[in-house]
Amino acid sequence: MDDCQNAVEKWYFHPYKKYYRFYLLLNSILEFAVERNYIHTNPAQKVHLPRADRQPVKTSSKKQFYTREELQTVLKAMKANAPTEMFTFFWLIANSGLRRGEMLGLQWQDIDFETHTLRVQRT
């Protein structure tokens, strides 16, 4: 049980935003082991979960966005060197504000070439 408690606390303070998902997976695996009689009890059921609202705010030192000049440089390099599909994908993300999942959900029928519009219907 102490191992499970220590793991959950480690996940909580590590930069994992969804530590609870790790706990649920651990609990599910151990529950399966109990059902198969590999172990007698599920030690994850006795874990005291830290409150999510007390999780420390994680700051990232990574740069999250390109400046306008950096983006122009990247797109120019991609246009010259990358496949057309890849350049188009990143150009559309940069200029439309779409998220990656929304972009991946696009289909040809979502594009209206006459009115120059794009419908986002899937993610």
Coordinates of all heavy atoms in Angstrom, one line a residue, residues 13 19 23 30 40 45 59 73 78 83 120-121:
F13 N 3.0 15.6 -7.7 CA 3.9 16.7 -7.6 C 4.8 16.7 -8.9 O 5.6 17.7 -9.1 CB 4.8 16.6 -6.4 CG 4.0 17.0 -5.2 CD1 3.7 16.0 -4.2 CD2 3.6 18.3 -4.9 CE1 3.0 16.3 -3.1 CE2 2.9 18.6 -3.8 CZ 2.6 17.6 -2.9
Y19 N -2.7 13.5 -12.9 CA -2.2 12.4 -12.1 C -3.3 11.5 -11.7 O -3.1 10.3 -11.6 CB -1.6 13.0 -10.8 CG -2.6 13.4 -9.8 CD1 -3.0 12.5 -8.7 CD2 -3.3 14.6 -9.8 CE1 -3.9 12.8 -7.8 CE2 -4.2 14.9 -8.9 CZ -4.5 14.1 -7.9 OH -5.5 14.4 -6.9
Y23 N -3.7 7.2 -11.5 CA -4.3 6.5 -10.3 C -5.4 5.5 -10.8 O -5.4 4.4 -10.4 CB -4.8 7.4 -9.3 CG -5.7 6.7 -8.3 CD1 -5.1 5.9 -7.3 CD2 -7.0 6.8 -8.3 CE1 -5.9 5.2 -6.4 CE2 -7.8 6.1 -7.4 CZ -7.3 5.3 -6.5 OH -8.1 4.6 -5.6
L30 N -4.8 -3.3 -10.7 CA -4.8 -4.0 -9.5 C -6.1 -4.7 -9.2 O -6.2 -5.8 -8.7 CB -4.4 -3.1 -8.3 CG -2.9 -2.6 -8.4 CD1 -2.7 -1.7 -7.3 CD2 -2.0 -3.8 -8.3
H40 N -4.5 -10.7 -3.2 CA -5.7 -10.8 -2.4 C -6.5 -9.6 -2.3 O -7.8 -9.6 -2.3 CB -5.3 -11.3 -1.0 CG -4.7 -12.7 -1.0 ND1 -5.4 -13.8 -1.3 CD2 -3.4 -13.1 -0.8 CE1 -4.6 -14.9 -1.3 NE2 -3.4 -14.5 -0.9
Q45 N -6.9 0.9 -3.4 CA -8.2 1.4 -2.8 C -8.0 2.1 -1.5 O -8.8 2.8 -1.1 CB -9.1 0.2 -2.7 CG -9.6 -0.3 -4.0 CD -10.6 -1.5 -3.8 OE1 -10.6 -2.2 -2.8 NE2 -11.4 -1.7 -4.8
T59 N 4.9 25.9 -13.8 CA 5.3 26.9 -14.8 C 6.3 26.2 -15.7 O 7.1 25.4 -15.4 CB 6.0 28.1 -14.1 OG1 7.1 27.6 -13.4 CG2 5.1 28.8 -13.2
T73 N 9.5 33.0 -40.6 CA 10.8 32.3 -40.9 C 10.5 30.8 -41.0 O 11.0 30.1 -42.0 CB 11.9 32.5 -39.9 OG1 12.1 33.9 -39.8 CG2 13.2 31.8 -40.2
M78 N 9.6 26.0 -44.4 CA 8.7 24.8 -44.7 C 8.3 24.9 -46.2 O 8.2 23.9 -46.8 CB 7.5 24.8 -43.8 CG 7.9 24.3 -42.4 SD 6.4 24.1 -41.4 CE 5.8 22.5 -42.0
P83 N 7.1 19.0 -47.6 CA 6.0 18.6 -48.6 C 4.9 19.6 -48.5 O 4.6 20.2 -47.5 CB 5.6 17.2 -48.1 CG 6.7 16.7 -47.3 CD 7.4 17.9 -46.7
V120 N -15.7 23.9 -39.4 CA -15.2 22.9 -38.4 C -16.3 22.2 -37.8 O -17.1 22.7 -37.0 CB -14.3 23.7 -37.3 CG1 -13.7 22.7 -36.4 CG2 -13.2 24.5 -38.0
Q121 N -16.4 20.9 -38.1 CA -17.5 20.1 -37.6 C -17.1 18.9 -36.7 O -17.9 18.3 -36.1 CB -18.3 19.6 -38.8 CG -18.9 20.7 -39.6 CD -19.7 20.1 -40.8 OE1 -19.9 18.9 -40.9 NE2 -20.1 21.0 -41.7

